Amino acid sequence: MAAISNFPVQIIDIQSTGQRIVVADSQESIHFVRYRKAENQLVIFCDDTTPRYMTTMCVLDYNTVAVGDKFGSIAIVST
């Protein structure tokens, strides 16, 4: 699991579902994040392997996110 210090800096959207936080970055696609209370730290536990120039994101359910990029492409990403 990667620490939040390695997190991309061009965040365009943050949404949550249950215990998960889904973060969209304009150049790095999406990251699924979890808050660890004991360490007071956000930890990336899953991310999209394909970099996308994101413009929008919609959380569909606990494991699935729909994303759109600046080229008009739509993708469904699941953990």
Side-chain angles (χ1 to χ4, degrees):
M1 293 186 185
I4 201 70
S5 62
N6 297 330
F7 207 76
V9 295
Q10 295 181 353
I11 296 172
I12 60 166
D13 196 5
I14 299 174
Q15 296 182 22
S16 66
T17 176
Q19 296 292 319
R20 295 181 177 182
I21 303 166
V22 184
V23 180
D25 181 77
S26 66
Q27 293 183 2
E28 299 293 327
S29 197
I30 64 166
H31 303 279
F32 287 87
V33 179
R34 178 168 229 146
Y35 176 68
R36 289 187 171 176
K37 188 174 183 178
E39 293 91 15
N40 192 29
Q41 169 178 27
L42 293 171
V43 178
I44 299 170
F45 68 90
C46 184
D47 61 2
D48 190 1
T49 58
T50 306
R52 304 174 200 277
Y53 290 99
M54 301 267 303
T55 57
T56 190
M57 166 182 77
C58 178
V59 176
L60 301 177
D61 63 22
Y62 193 68
N63 295 318
T64 312
V65 178
V67 298
D69 66 19
K70 74 176 193 174
F71 302 109
S73 298
I74 297 173
I76 306 297
V77 181
S78 183
T79 58

